[in-house]
Amino acid sequence: MTRYRSYKRTHAYAKGTTCKRSCAALAILAIAVSPAMAGCGAQETGSTELPKKTDVEVIAFQQPWNSIAKECTETYGPEGVAYVEVSPPQETIEGTQWWTSYQPVSYKLDSKLGTQAEFKNMVEECNTAGVDIIADVVLNQTTGANDKGTQRGVAGTKYNPTTGDYPGFTGNEDQYPKGITKDDFHDYENGASITGYLNQEEVQEGRLSGMWDFDTSSDKVQDIQSDYFAKLYEMGVRGFRIDAAKHIDADDLKAIKEKTATKIGAPAKDIFWVQEVIGNAGEASGIQPSNYFDNGTVTQFAYVTNLKSAFKGSLTSLSDLGERLGDTKRNKFAIPDELANVFVTNWDTARNGQALTYRDGADYALANAFMLAYDYGTPRLISDYGFTASDDGAPGSTATEVPEVDFADECSSADGQWNCQQRWTPIRGMIAFHNYVHGTQVTDWQEHDDNVIAFSRGNKGFIAINNSTDDLKGLEFDTDMPDGEYCDVYGTQDCSTTVTVKGGKVKVDVAAKSAVAIYAGATAKVHPASSVAVDPSTPSW
C-alpha cells in the first residue's frame, strides 16, 4: 500500500539567466509503461521549444576548450544547461595526472586544455549558445614544496619549488616583475603540512599535501588573484568555483571578491561563486560552511553521502532531505537552499568512495534524476571519463596536453572512454523537467515501499522512482498534474511512451531500477521533436 506524505517548501532562486532556444533533441532512456499508454510517436509532435534554462550546471571535467566549445553548440545550449564548469584554465605543472591542473605555476591562460585564444573562443561560443562558463579557480596553493630545483610549467614558465620562487605570478599589468616569492606564502610552523582539521590556523595556513600555501591576507596576493578573476570575467566567464575554499579564510575570500568587483565595475554580490567547503563535526568551527555564506554559494557535500546511502538503502530517507540539509536551525552544518550547490558526485568523491558514480549504473542515473526533480539547491552534474586508478588523467593525456575529443563521435555509442553523461537520455530528459518545474515546491510525497517513491512539483511535474530490483505494474499515485497524456521524459525522447493523468491520479508501470517522469510542457501532441527514442550514448543498465 502506498504511503502518502505532503511536503511544501518555499525557495529563493537567484541563479542563472534565461534565453530562448530553437527546438532541440531531447534524448531519454526507454522504460516500461503500460501498453495502453504507449504509442504517441514522433510523428504526432507539434512545434515546441524545450523549457528555458534556469540554473543547471555541468562539470566538463578535464575537457579541452575546443571540445567544450563544440559541445556547447551541439548539446549544452540546446538542452538547457545554464553553466558549464571547466577545469582550472591557468598554467600548471607538467604531468598526466588530473590533479596537476590544481597546481598552478602562473595565472597565464595557457594550459593542458588549450591556449588563451582557444579559451576565449570557447567562452564566446558557449555564450552564443546560451551557456555561461564557470571557471575552477585555484587560490589556495601552488605546487609541492619538496620538488627539486628550477622547473617549467606546461607553457614554459620557470619556477623553483625548492626556494618558493614563482616569477610567473606578475599580475595583469606585470606590476610584480619578480612574481611570487617565499615571503608571499604562509609559513605555518616553518612550512608544516596539515595533519588535522580541528585547528583553523593549521587548516588555513598549513600546507595542503605539502604545497606552498598562498598568504591570501596580503595585499600583493589579493591584487594578483583579483587580477586573475578580473581577466577571466572580462573574457566572458560568469561564475567561479573556488577550489579548497575552506583552506582560505572567509574574510580573505571576501576581500579578493570585493577587489575583483572594483576592477570589473560590478557589485560583488552579482559575481557567482561556488565555494568548496566540507562541513562536518570533526572540523574547526571557523571552516564550517556558514562562515562562507556571505561570499556566495557553498558545496553541500552531505548531499553526496545522503544520496549514496539512500540509493544503497532506503529512498524513504530522502523525504525530508531539504529540511535536514537546508535548515540552519535544525542542523548547524546546514546550507540554505538558495546557497547550496548540490551534486551526486564530483571528481574527488568519485575517487574516494563517498559517492555514487558511473560505475553504479542505474543507481547513478536515478540519483541524478532525483536531484534534478527535487527542490533543494543548485544542481551540478558531471561529464567525465572512465578511470582505473584514481590519478588517471583524461584519455590520451600527455604531460603537457589533453587531446581534443569529438563528442559527436565519442558519444555515438556507450562504449567510449568518455562517459558522455551530458548526452544520456535520462539526463537530458531530467534537465528539461528541472527547468520546467523550477521555482515550484515538492508536493504529494508518496512511498510505495522503502525503494519506490513518487512526488509532484506542484501542477507542473511528477516523478516516480523504482529503485527496487522488481518490475512494478499498475502503481497508482496522486499528482497535482492536470488531466492529460504526457511524454515520459525519463524514458524516451520521441514520446513513444506516455503517461496518462486522470482525476488527480497517475497509474504507471515502472521497470526495475528505473523511473517515470512527466512535466506539463511535454504532452503527447506537443513536445520537442526527435528522430530517436534513446541517445546512443546511454548505457544499458
Side-chain angles (χ1 to χ4, degrees):
M1 180 178 179
T2 302
R3 303 187 293 272
Y4 297 91
R5 301 180 186 176
S6 181
Y7 295 98
K8 297 182 184 292
R9 290 182 285 274
T10 58
H11 300 290
Y13 289 93
K15 292 90 74 172
T17 55
T18 61
C19 68
K20 290 192 178 289
R21 289 173 300 282
S22 60
C23 186
L26 175 63
I28 311 147
L29 179 63
I31 183 175
V33 296
S34 170
M37 298 178 184
C40 72
Q43 71 277 9
E44 296 183 13
T45 190
S47 176
T48 188
E49 292 182 345
L50 284 169
K52 295 177 181 179
K53 72 174 185 178
T54 56
D55 61 350
V56 176
E57 304 167 12
V58 176
I59 306 166
F61 183 58
Q62 290 292 289
Q63 294 175 15
W65 312 144
N66 289 342
S67 301
I68 294 172
K70 186 176 180 183
E71 195 67 347
C72 276
T73 300
E74 294 182 352
T75 304
Y76 294 127
E79 72 184 8
V81 170
Y83 297 97
V84 169
E85 178 188 308
V86 302
S87 293
Q90 82 291 314
E91 183 184 11
T92 67
I93 64 172
E94 295 185 351
T96 60
Q97 303 93 332
W98 64 267
W99 45 258
T100 59
S101 292
Y102 292 84
Q103 295 193 29
V105 301
S106 79
Y107 285 143
K108 295 177 182 177
L109 294 178
D110 290 303
S111 72
K112 289 174 25 175
L113 301 173
T115 65
Q116 176 170 311
E118 290 168 339
F119 181 83
K120 185 174 186 295
N121 178 71
M122 173 198 67
V123 174
E124 292 172 350
E125 289 290 320
C126 290
N127 288 170
T128 298
V131 182
D132 285 323
I133 294 296
I134 295 174
D136 202 350
V137 176
V138 184
L139 303 181
N140 181 65
Q141 75 273 343
T142 55
T143 76
N146 294 325
D147 297 330
K148 302 297 182 182
T150 300
Q151 300 182 40
R152 292 180 183 271
V154 295
T157 299
K158 292 182 179 180
Y159 65 99
N160 191 321
T162 304
T163 61
D165 288 302
Y166 293 83
F169 293 102
T170 61
N172 287 351
E173 303 298 326
D174 294 326
Q175 64 267 38
Y176 304 102
K178 292 184 178 180
I180 292 290
T181 71
K182 64 180 180 61
D183 295 329
D184 300 309
F185 296 106
H186 287 127
D187 190 30
Y188 176 76
E189 293 192 353
N190 299 313
S193 290
I194 300 167
T195 59
Y197 284 80
L198 291 174
N199 182 331
Q200 180 180 353
E201 183 182 9
E202 178 181 356
V203 173
Q204 297 183 336
E205 296 187 13
R207 292 177 179 173
L208 176 62
S209 300
M211 294 180 286
W212 287 94
D213 190 84
F214 278 118
D215 181 2
T216 48
S217 65
S218 82
D219 288 338
K220 175 182 176 181
V221 171
Q222 290 182 4
D223 189 33
I224 291 172
Q225 294 187 333
S226 58
D227 264 8
Y228 180 48
F229 278 112
K231 180 177 181 179
L232 292 170
Y233 190 91
E234 288 165 359
M235 294 178 75
V237 173
R238 287 299 175 263
F240 304 94
R241 174 191 177 268
I242 314 304
D243 180 66
K246 76 173 183 180
H247 292 276
I248 306 170
D249 187 275
D251 289 338
D252 292 352
L253 287 179
K254 181 179 181 180
I256 293 168
K257 189 175 188 182
E258 288 176 345
K259 288 182 178 179
T260 300
T262 298
K263 291 176 181 180
I264 65 175
K269 65 180 178 60
D270 291 344
I271 305 173
F272 182 32
W273 274 26
V274 181
Q275 300 166 101
E276 186 192 22
V277 182
I278 308 170
N280 65 67
E283 298 186 347
S285 61
I287 64 173
Q288 299 297 342
S290 59
N291 297 283
Y292 296 83
F293 290 169
D294 287 344
N295 293 332
T297 66
V298 181
T299 50
Q300 179 52 285
F301 277 84
Y303 195 87
V304 173
T305 53
N306 272 262
L307 257 62
K308 181 174 183 179
S309 176
F311 280 90
K312 295 300 184 183
S314 171
L315 296 188
T316 62
S317 66
L318 299 173
S319 64
D320 64 343
L321 185 66
E323 287 79 9
R324 282 190 288 112
L325 300 187
D327 186 350
T328 55
K329 294 181 180 179
R330 177 176 175 179
N331 171 11
K332 67 179 180 179
F333 307 113
I335 303 173
D337 164 66
E338 67 274 15
L339 294 174
N341 192 274
V342 300
F343 47 101
V344 175
T345 191
N346 69 3
W347 57 94
D348 284 322
T349 58
R351 288 160 173 79
N352 65 18
Q354 293 180 345
L356 295 167
T357 75
Y358 72 94
R359 292 173 173 169
D360 290 291
D363 285 354
Y364 175 65
L366 288 173
N368 278 290
F370 174 85
M371 176 179 69
L372 290 165
Y374 198 59
D375 61 345
Y376 171 68
T378 300
R380 190 160 165 244
L381 303 161
I382 190 170
S383 171
D384 61 358
Y385 52 86
F387 62 91
T388 302
S390 61
D391 286 347
D392 288 349
S397 295
T398 69
T400 59
E401 183 180 15
V402 174
E404 292 180 22
V405 53
D406 182 347
F407 284 106
D409 180 64
E410 179 70 13
C411 304
S412 62
S413 76
D415 301 321
Q417 293 177 297
W418 291 87
N419 290 325
C420 300
Q421 294 101 317
Q422 74 275 17
R423 293 187 176 220
W424 290 0
T425 297
I427 298 294
R428 289 181 187 252
M430 294 310 300
I431 289 173
F433 180 103
H434 175 88
N435 286 340
Y436 191 85
V437 306
H438 185 74
T440 64
Q441 306 163 5
V442 166
T443 56
D444 296 318
W445 179 280
Q446 297 155 75
E447 300 166 356
H448 175 74
D449 58 32
D450 283 349
N451 280 298
V452 181
I453 61 172
F455 57 86
S456 295
R457 292 293 298 271
N459 62 2
K460 287 192 170 185
F462 167 85
I463 187 169
I465 299 175
N466 177 12
N467 194 44
S468 77
T469 56
D470 298 320
D471 295 341
L472 299 176
K473 297 183 180 296
L475 295 179
E476 187 173 85
F477 298 101
D478 289 338
T479 181
D480 295 325
M481 292 276 289
D483 287 359
E485 187 180 12
Y486 300 97
C487 307
D488 169 24
V489 299
Y490 189 94
T492 57
Q493 145 131 19
D494 60 356
C495 199
S496 53
T497 58
T498 63
V499 173
T500 299
V501 174
K502 186 176 182 180
K505 301 286 185 180
V506 55
K507 190 173 183 179
V508 291
D509 298 346
V510 191
K513 294 288 184 178
S514 195
V516 169
I518 58 175
Y519 67 87
T523 69
K525 292 184 178 180
V526 180
H527 62 90
S530 174
S531 61
V532 297
V534 179
D535 191 272
S537 66
T538 308
S540 298
W541 295 300

